[in-house]
């Protein structure tokens, strides 16, 4: 059954989405739209559509970018302050989407709703699946914390294995039911894509960016008897030949271009710099203490600054590992994070085992999996001894195998 849900179903959903989507585009092109109901009801649509679209776009990006750039994401999330900020931002966006989808559903519910009159059964199915998707996402954020992190070591390797046509479900089949339901309903959304108004995602009117602007005249107020006559059509494809106030219009255009350029620079320059600069993940040797302070055969918890602390991170910039002195010359350091969902593992000296308190994962003393859901052994850090000091090579969280 797991193979059907995590191998066959995603492929079926994708093939149908692409195949039927293309067929619909070429055979019924005018249906490739969101079939807006704005003219029927505008006020509630605004309060539902704006939160929904802004929220879901950012959340989709937050899922897509770590999938495309897992190492960069690991570098970003390897700092606990940044991880916390990401988690809180994701949760806030999730609530924002929930609010939006509730309004979008609510405006179609009343019997006398004009939007309801144009709502098809497929619209209802899509709205309910989307509602489940964001609610389960919020549930995952609340009850299976640090999803930004474990996403990298669970869903990301599985998704890449599907892309490479070598499906490997080992990192997702042990996930809690809520997470599995969230993943599967995501593929249900993909499956519904070509059969619903969701196709409007690929009908973004990009040409709006460069076409001549339009003058839209709202005709909702009674016209004054002495008002100048309206143009033949309320929508003009190009500016009037004799602008009434050309100076003001020119100044406003320049102001608009300037504000747009500044906004683009503020967002774009750090993003590009970040992507270029962090492709090579920072790795720094950190001292752990005098070699003499560690007993042979003993496994102790050591803490150190992560590889890219922020000035304001404070104590949260510290991370930890388990260090064991195997022999007078040899040390081994294990990442403290469980390879299942990233919880910190504990060392049980009497049992010679690492134990994860979250879902019962157990690791042997060499870090290999003894039992439970963890898909692979604990990650180890390079360790060296320099001038009598044990040093560890810190790096972004070593949790992704992509
Ligand atoms: S986080 Fe699930 S077993 Fe460790």
């Amino acid at each position: 059954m797991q193979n059907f849900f995590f191998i066959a179903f995603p492929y079926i959903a994708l093939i149908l989405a692409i195949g039927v989507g293309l067929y619909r585009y070429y055979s019924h092109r005018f249906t490739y739209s969101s079939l807006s109901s704005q003219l029927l009801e505008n006020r509630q649509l605004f309060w539902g559509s704006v939160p929904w679209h802004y929220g879901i776009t950012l959340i989709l990006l937050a899922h897509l970018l770590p999938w495309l750039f897992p190492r960069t994401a690991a570098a970003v999330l390897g700092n606990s302050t940044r991880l916390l900020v990401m988690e809180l931002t994701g949760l806030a966006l999730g609530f924002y989407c929930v609010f939006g989808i509730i309004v979008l559903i609510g405006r179609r519910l009343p019997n006398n709703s004009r939007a309801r009159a144009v709502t098809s059964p497929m619209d209802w199915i899509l709205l309910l699946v989307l509602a489940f998707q964001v609610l389960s996402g919020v549930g995952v954020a609340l009850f299976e914390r640090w999803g930004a992190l474990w996403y990298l070591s669970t869903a990301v390797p599985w998704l890449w294995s599907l892309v490479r046509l070598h499906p490997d479900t080992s990192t997702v089949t042990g996930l809690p039911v809520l997470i599995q339901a969230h993943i599967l309903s995501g593929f249900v959304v993909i499956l519904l894509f070509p059969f619903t108004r969701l196709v409007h995602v690929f009908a973004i009117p990009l040409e709006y960016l460069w076409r001549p602007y339009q003058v839209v005249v709202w005709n909702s107020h009674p016209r004054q008897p002495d008002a100048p006559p309206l143009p033949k059509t309320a929508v003009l494809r190009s500016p009037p030949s004799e602008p009434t106030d050309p100076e003001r219009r020119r100044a406003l255009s320049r102001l608009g271009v300037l504000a747009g350029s500044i906004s683009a620079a503020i967002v774009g320059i750090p993003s590009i710099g970040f992507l270029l600069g962090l492709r090579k993940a920072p790795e720094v040797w950190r001292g752990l203490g005098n070699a003499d302070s560690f007993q042979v055969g003993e496994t102790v918890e050591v803490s150190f600054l992560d590889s890219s602390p922020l000035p304001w991170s404070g104590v949260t910039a510290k991370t930890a590992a388990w260090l064991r002195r195997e022999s007078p010359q040899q040390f081994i350091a294990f990442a403290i994070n469980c390879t299942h969902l990233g919880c910190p593992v504990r060392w049980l000296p009497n049992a010679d085992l690492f134990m994860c308190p979250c879902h019962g994962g157990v690791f042997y003393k060499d870090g290999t999996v003894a039992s439970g859901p963890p898909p692979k052994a604990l990650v180890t850090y390079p360790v060296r001894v320099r001038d009598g000091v044990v040093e560890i090579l810190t790096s972004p969280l070593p949790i992704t195998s992509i």
Side-chain angles (χ1 to χ4, degrees):
M1 205 58 182
Q2 294 277 23
N3 278 353
F4 173 76
F5 283 131
F6 290 105
I7 298 178
F9 181 59
Y11 282 128
I12 292 172
L14 279 170
I15 290 169
L16 279 178
I18 296 170
V20 181
L22 284 174
Y23 173 75
R24 179 170 165 186
Y25 182 76
Y26 286 110
S27 60
H28 301 82
R29 189 168 298 189
F30 285 115
T31 68
Y32 235 75
S33 146
S34 62
L35 304 174
S36 172
S37 55
Q38 185 181 13
L39 287 174
L40 302 175
E41 191 287 315
N42 190 24
R43 185 179 294 265
Q44 290 179 55
L45 176 67
F46 173 82
W47 289 106
S49 182
V50 172
W52 169 258
H53 283 96
Y54 278 110
I56 203 67
T57 305
L58 292 172
I59 287 178
L60 282 177
L61 278 178
H63 283 70
L64 191 65
L65 291 178
W67 175 61
L68 291 175
F69 308 104
R71 286 176 208 281
T72 306
V76 176
L77 300 169
N79 175 285
S80 38
T81 309
R82 287 192 292 250
L83 176 60
L84 190 62
V85 169
M86 292 283 179
E87 288 278 317
L88 291 177
T89 308
L91 187 58
L93 287 172
F95 279 123
Y96 199 41
C97 282
V98 169
F99 173 77
I101 197 81
I102 287 175
V103 175
L104 289 177
I105 291 176
R107 73 189 275 270
R108 292 174 187 267
L109 279 180
N111 276 335
N112 59 355
S113 157
R114 287 201 272 176
R116 180 181 181 136
V118 296
T119 306
S120 69
M122 284 310 277
D123 292 334
W124 285 118
I125 293 173
L126 178 65
L127 283 167
L128 292 177
V129 173
L130 289 176
F132 176 81
Q133 183 65 3
V134 288
L135 280 170
S136 61
V138 168
V140 168
L142 286 174
F143 303 115
E144 307 288 351
R145 286 182 208 160
W146 316 121
L149 208 53
W150 51 251
Y151 174 69
L152 295 175
S153 57
T154 53
V156 168
W158 164 65
L159 287 169
W160 275 111
S161 79
L162 292 179
V163 172
R164 293 185 185 117
L165 304 180
H166 280 289
D168 175 5
T169 60
S170 60
T171 54
V172 287
T173 47
L175 290 173
V177 175
L178 182 61
I179 303 176
Q180 293 193 346
H182 181 67
I183 293 174
L184 290 176
S185 74
F187 277 94
V188 173
V189 174
I190 292 174
L191 180 71
L192 289 176
F193 164 80
F195 303 102
T196 60
R197 61 178 72 199
L198 204 57
V199 288
H200 78 279
V201 172
F202 288 119
I204 305 168
L206 285 178
E207 76 273 13
Y208 279 27
L209 296 175
W210 54 80
R211 71 166 193 199
Y213 60 83
Q214 294 178 334
V215 178
V216 177
V217 179
W218 286 96
N219 201 14
S220 53
H221 300 295
R223 282 172 45 73
Q224 301 299 319
D226 54 346
L230 277 175
K232 270 198 179 131
T233 169
V235 179
L236 304 179
R237 288 291 299 178
S238 52
S241 52
E242 289 289 327
T244 49
D245 193 350
E247 282 308 315
R248 189 169 62 109
R249 180 164 299 178
R250 209 170 297 131
L252 282 176
S253 307
R254 286 185 186 148
L255 206 61
V257 171
L258 185 68
S261 311
I262 292 173
S263 313
I266 289 173
V267 175
I269 292 174
S271 309
I272 293 169
F274 173 78
L275 283 175
L276 295 178
L278 277 186
R279 281 209 170 204
K280 177 92 188 75
E283 294 183 331
V284 189
W285 287 97
R286 301 264 190 231
L288 300 177
N290 263 331
D292 296 341
S293 59
F294 300 103
Q295 307 296 320
V296 174
E298 204 176 53
T299 304
V300 292
E301 188 179 338
V302 287
S303 70
F304 48 91
L305 273 187
D306 69 36
S307 58
S308 56
L310 295 173
W312 56 85
S313 299
V315 73
T316 60
K318 286 202 154 192
T319 186
W322 289 104
L323 181 73
R324 180 183 312 131
R325 188 168 193 174
E326 302 268 56
S327 69
Q329 291 79 31
Q330 202 190 350
F331 287 84
I332 181 166
F334 299 96
I336 202 159
N337 301 95
C338 175
T339 50
H340 181 217
L341 297 185
C343 289
V345 296
R346 292 192 200 129
W347 170 244
L348 307 178
N350 294 333
D352 267 359
L353 293 169
F354 292 101
M355 169 93 191
C356 177
C358 288
H359 312 100
V362 182
F363 302 85
Y364 292 116
K365 66 181 286 192
D366 63 355
T368 53
V369 179
S371 70
K376 55 184 180 182
L378 287 175
V379 175
T380 53
Y381 291 101
V383 192
R384 71 182 182 190
V385 179
R386 240 196 191 184
D387 301 329
V389 174
V390 184
E391 293 182 341
I392 190 168
L393 186 62
T394 68
S395 59
L397 282 188
I399 56 171
T400 170
S401 55
I402 296 298

mmCIF file of all heavy atoms in Angstrom, residues 367-389:
data_model
loop_
_atom_site.group_PDB
_atom_site.id
_atom_site.type_symbol
_atom_site.label_atom_id
_atom_site.label_comp_id
_atom_site.label_asym_id
_atom_site.label_seq_id
_atom_site.Cartn_x
_atom_site.Cartn_y
_atom_site.Cartn_z
ATOM 1 N N GLY A 367 26.754 4.492 15.653
ATOM 2 C CA GLY A 367 25.853 5.405 14.951
ATOM 3 C C GLY A 367 24.899 4.723 13.995
ATOM 4 O O GLY A 367 23.977 5.357 13.488
ATOM 5 N N THR A 368 25.097 3.439 13.711
ATOM 6 C CA THR A 368 24.184 2.762 12.773
ATOM 7 C C THR A 368 22.834 2.513 13.453
ATOM 8 O O THR A 368 22.756 2.448 14.680
ATOM 9 C CB THR A 368 24.765 1.413 12.290
ATOM 10 O OG1 THR A 368 25.121 0.653 13.446
ATOM 11 C CG2 THR A 368 25.980 1.625 11.418
ATOM 12 N N VAL A 369 21.810 2.375 12.610
ATOM 13 C CA VAL A 369 20.447 2.248 13.141
ATOM 14 C C VAL A 369 20.243 0.874 13.771
ATOM 15 O O VAL A 369 20.556 -0.160 13.157
ATOM 16 C CB VAL A 369 19.410 2.450 12.013
ATOM 17 C CG1 VAL A 369 17.995 2.305 12.560
ATOM 18 C CG2 VAL A 369 19.591 3.813 11.369
ATOM 19 N N ALA A 370 19.735 0.861 15.005
ATOM 20 C CA ALA A 370 19.412 -0.399 15.662
ATOM 21 C C ALA A 370 17.933 -0.720 15.482
ATOM 22 O O ALA A 370 17.570 -1.856 15.203
ATOM 23 C CB ALA A 370 19.751 -0.324 17.148
ATOM 24 N N SER A 371 17.079 0.306 15.632
ATOM 25 C CA SER A 371 15.646 0.062 15.425
ATOM 26 C C SER A 371 14.918 1.393 15.328
ATOM 27 O O SER A 371 15.492 2.455 15.583
ATOM 28 C CB SER A 371 15.069 -0.761 16.573
ATOM 29 O OG SER A 371 15.022 0.027 17.742
ATOM 30 N N GLY A 372 13.633 1.304 14.967
ATOM 31 C CA GLY A 372 12.819 2.517 14.908
ATOM 32 C C GLY A 372 12.813 3.141 13.531
ATOM 33 O O GLY A 372 13.377 2.593 12.583
ATOM 34 N N PRO A 373 12.184 4.301 13.426
ATOM 35 C CA PRO A 373 11.982 4.907 12.104
ATOM 36 C C PRO A 373 13.203 5.578 11.448
ATOM 37 O O PRO A 373 13.124 5.866 10.261
ATOM 38 C CB PRO A 373 10.890 5.952 12.365
ATOM 39 C CG PRO A 373 10.914 6.222 13.817
ATOM 40 C CD PRO A 373 11.464 5.009 14.491
ATOM 41 N N PRO A 374 14.307 5.848 12.158
ATOM 42 C CA PRO A 374 15.387 6.554 11.447
ATOM 43 C C PRO A 374 15.840 5.788 10.204
ATOM 44 O O PRO A 374 16.088 4.581 10.275
ATOM 45 C CB PRO A 374 16.522 6.624 12.487
ATOM 46 C CG PRO A 374 15.828 6.556 13.787
ATOM 47 C CD PRO A 374 14.656 5.645 13.577
ATOM 48 N N PRO A 375 15.944 6.481 9.065
ATOM 49 C CA PRO A 375 16.278 5.783 7.828
ATOM 50 C C PRO A 375 17.759 5.498 7.647
ATOM 51 O O PRO A 375 18.151 4.678 6.821
ATOM 52 C CB PRO A 375 15.803 6.758 6.738
ATOM 53 C CG PRO A 375 15.890 8.095 7.387
ATOM 54 C CD PRO A 375 15.638 7.900 8.847
ATOM 55 N N LYS A 376 18.612 6.212 8.395
ATOM 56 C CA LYS A 376 20.052 5.990 8.186
ATOM 57 C C LYS A 376 20.816 6.309 9.458
ATOM 58 O O LYS A 376 20.243 6.844 10.419
ATOM 59 C CB LYS A 376 20.561 6.836 7.023
ATOM 60 C CG LYS A 376 20.283 8.293 7.170
ATOM 61 C CD LYS A 376 20.733 9.045 5.932
ATOM 62 C CE LYS A 376 20.429 10.521 6.125
ATOM 63 N NZ LYS A 376 20.777 11.338 5.005
ATOM 64 N N ALA A 377 22.109 5.991 9.424
ATOM 65 C CA ALA A 377 22.949 6.142 10.620
ATOM 66 C C ALA A 377 23.111 7.602 11.011
ATOM 67 O O ALA A 377 22.903 8.511 10.192
ATOM 68 C CB ALA A 377 24.320 5.532 10.346
ATOM 69 N N LEU A 378 23.512 7.818 12.259
ATOM 70 C CA LEU A 378 23.815 9.182 12.698
ATOM 71 C C LEU A 378 24.958 9.731 11.843
ATOM 72 O O LEU A 378 25.888 8.997 11.497
ATOM 73 C CB LEU A 378 24.257 9.181 14.170
ATOM 74 C CG LEU A 378 23.174 8.935 15.224
ATOM 75 C CD1 LEU A 378 23.802 8.854 16.611
ATOM 76 C CD2 LEU A 378 22.122 10.040 15.187
ATOM 77 N N VAL A 379 24.872 11.007 11.558
ATOM 78 C CA VAL A 379 25.929 11.630 10.753
ATOM 79 C C VAL A 379 27.137 11.891 11.648
ATOM 80 O O VAL A 379 26.985 12.211 12.825
ATOM 81 C CB VAL A 379 25.398 12.956 10.160
ATOM 82 C CG1 VAL A 379 26.493 13.690 9.420
ATOM 83 C CG2 VAL A 379 24.222 12.680 9.250
ATOM 84 N N THR A 380 28.322 11.724 11.093
ATOM 85 C CA THR A 380 29.535 12.005 11.892
ATOM 86 C C THR A 380 30.231 13.256 11.349
ATOM 87 O O THR A 380 30.143 13.554 10.158
ATOM 88 C CB THR A 380 30.527 10.836 11.838
ATOM 89 O OG1 THR A 380 30.785 10.512 10.476
ATOM 90 C CG2 THR A 380 29.995 9.618 12.564
ATOM 91 N N TYR A 381 30.891 13.972 12.252
ATOM 92 C CA TYR A 381 31.673 15.153 11.862
ATOM 93 C C TYR A 381 33.158 14.760 11.807
ATOM 94 O O TYR A 381 33.603 13.946 12.625
ATOM 95 C CB TYR A 381 31.564 16.244 12.923
ATOM 96 C CG TYR A 381 30.226 16.908 13.068
ATOM 97 C CD1 TYR A 381 29.364 16.542 14.098
ATOM 98 C CD2 TYR A 381 29.837 17.941 12.222
ATOM 99 C CE1 TYR A 381 28.143 17.176 14.275
ATOM 100 C CE2 TYR A 381 28.610 18.573 12.397
ATOM 101 C CZ TYR A 381 27.777 18.181 13.416
ATOM 102 O OH TYR A 381 26.567 18.814 13.590
ATOM 103 N N PRO A 382 33.922 15.380 10.924
ATOM 104 C CA PRO A 382 35.374 15.198 10.996
ATOM 105 C C PRO A 382 35.912 15.806 12.300
ATOM 106 O O PRO A 382 35.450 16.862 12.728
ATOM 107 C CB PRO A 382 35.902 15.978 9.787
ATOM 108 C CG PRO A 382 34.719 16.109 8.878
ATOM 109 C CD PRO A 382 33.520 16.175 9.764
ATOM 110 N N VAL A 383 36.862 15.101 12.927
ATOM 111 C CA VAL A 383 37.484 15.586 14.171
ATOM 112 C C VAL A 383 38.996 15.504 14.006
ATOM 113 O O VAL A 383 39.500 14.611 13.321
ATOM 114 C CB VAL A 383 37.073 14.694 15.373
ATOM 115 C CG1 VAL A 383 37.472 15.347 16.690
ATOM 116 C CG2 VAL A 383 35.593 14.418 15.381
ATOM 117 N N ARG A 384 39.726 16.431 14.615
ATOM 118 C CA ARG A 384 41.196 16.360 14.592
ATOM 119 C C ARG A 384 41.712 16.896 15.924
ATOM 120 O O ARG A 384 40.982 17.566 16.672
ATOM 121 C CB ARG A 384 41.755 17.192 13.430
ATOM 122 C CG ARG A 384 41.625 18.670 13.640
ATOM 123 C CD ARG A 384 42.132 19.462 12.456
ATOM 124 N NE ARG A 384 42.037 20.904 12.719
ATOM 125 C CZ ARG A 384 42.220 21.835 11.807
ATOM 126 N NH1 ARG A 384 42.499 21.510 10.563
ATOM 127 N NH2 ARG A 384 42.137 23.119 12.129
ATOM 128 N N VAL A 385 42.983 16.598 16.176
ATOM 129 C CA VAL A 385 43.623 17.144 17.382
ATOM 130 C C VAL A 385 44.746 18.054 16.923
ATOM 131 O O VAL A 385 45.605 17.649 16.133
ATOM 132 C CB VAL A 385 44.190 16.020 18.273
ATOM 133 C CG1 VAL A 385 44.856 16.624 19.505
ATOM 134 C CG2 VAL A 385 43.087 15.066 18.691
ATOM 135 N N ARG A 386 44.686 19.295 17.369
ATOM 136 C CA ARG A 386 45.701 20.278 16.965
ATOM 137 C C ARG A 386 46.242 20.973 18.192
ATOM 138 O O ARG A 386 45.461 21.532 18.960
ATOM 139 C CB ARG A 386 45.059 21.322 16.063
ATOM 140 C CG ARG A 386 45.730 21.313 14.764
ATOM 141 C CD ARG A 386 45.446 22.503 13.964
ATOM 142 N NE ARG A 386 45.966 22.169 12.653
ATOM 143 C CZ ARG A 386 45.994 22.964 11.670
ATOM 144 N NH1 ARG A 386 45.507 24.156 11.803
ATOM 145 N NH2 ARG A 386 46.512 22.586 10.540
ATOM 146 N N ASP A 387 47.562 20.929 18.365
ATOM 147 C CA ASP A 387 48.198 21.554 19.532
ATOM 148 C C ASP A 387 47.521 21.096 20.819
ATOM 149 O O ASP A 387 47.262 21.906 21.721
ATOM 150 C CB ASP A 387 48.147 23.085 19.431
ATOM 151 C CG ASP A 387 48.847 23.579 18.193
ATOM 152 O OD1 ASP A 387 49.821 22.908 17.761
ATOM 153 O OD2 ASP A 387 48.424 24.610 17.635
ATOM 154 N N GLY A 388 47.174 19.848 20.870
ATOM 155 C CA GLY A 388 46.582 19.289 22.089
ATOM 156 C C GLY A 388 45.105 19.599 22.270
ATOM 157 O O GLY A 388 44.509 19.225 23.271
ATOM 158 N N VAL A 389 44.506 20.296 21.272
ATOM 159 C CA VAL A 389 43.087 20.661 21.397
ATOM 160 C C VAL A 389 42.270 19.844 20.389
ATOM 161 O O VAL A 389 42.648 19.739 19.219
ATOM 162 C CB VAL A 389 42.890 22.173 21.143
ATOM 163 C CG1 VAL A 389 41.404 22.520 21.130
ATOM 164 C CG2 VAL A 389 43.618 22.976 22.199
#
